[in-house]
Amino acid sequence: MSDRMSWAIKDESILTDLVTLMDLTDHERHLLATLQPQAKTHAPELAEAFYQRITLNDKAAEYVVGQVDHLKGTLQDWFIELFSGNYDTDYVRRRLKIGQVHVRIGLPVRYPLAMIDVILAVGKKVTAQNPDAQAAFHKLLALDMAIFNQAYEDTQLKHLVHMVGNERLARRMLSQ
Ligand code: HEM
């Protein structure tokens, strides 16, 4: 397999690459921003459904013991920021840091990814009156999951590069 252009994109460029890929329009940004008050109203409902789901699985629940109340708050802030209307590289950087927090606690990426439907259900309620807003919300959630995943991939690649001594080889190993 030949080298891929995406392999050459590093650090800050990854953030802009993702923002560009989503192709968000000003209209979509504006629509989401106007819905932030409704997002605040529905955020507690998301937090309840989210932690109800996690506590169904003792292997996932193990990670949140003793901090559910605090985490319900940080999740609500995360959800409300989806409706900020400003999705620049600072936004992506903040979200990437959140992904990195999950990497650091050793949480398998399947658990965050498996929560998408819970977030989607509440986002649908917030955007119910406007199909364009709903489509924009889907984009933002897809962007966030891509960012989450990026945090995991960055870490795996970094360690593999360290072990094998060169990135090209590490990339090839990860492709097999
Ligand atoms: C899409 C899914 C998820 C989102 C959006 C999310 C969001 C967040 C946010 C915003 C924080 C605060 C980060 C910070 O302090 O800067 C956080 C921390 C945390 N999350 Fe999640 N989370 C998700 C999935 C999960 C899952 C599935 C678990 C466990 C099964 C989990 C466990 C934790 C824990 C334990 C912390 C605290 C880590 C620490 O500070 O040491 N998260 N999460």
Side-chain angles (χ1 to χ4, degrees), residues 50 54 60 63-64 67 71 74-75 78 98 101-102 105 107 111-112 115 119 145 148:
F50 194 94
I54 288 181
Y63 287 91
V64 299
Q67 30 179 349
L71 291 176
T74 55
L75 182 73
W78 171 90
I98 293 171
V101 167
H102 296 81
I105 62 170
L107 181 72
Y111 293 133
M115 301 309 290
I119 303 161
M145 291 305 110
F148 233 95

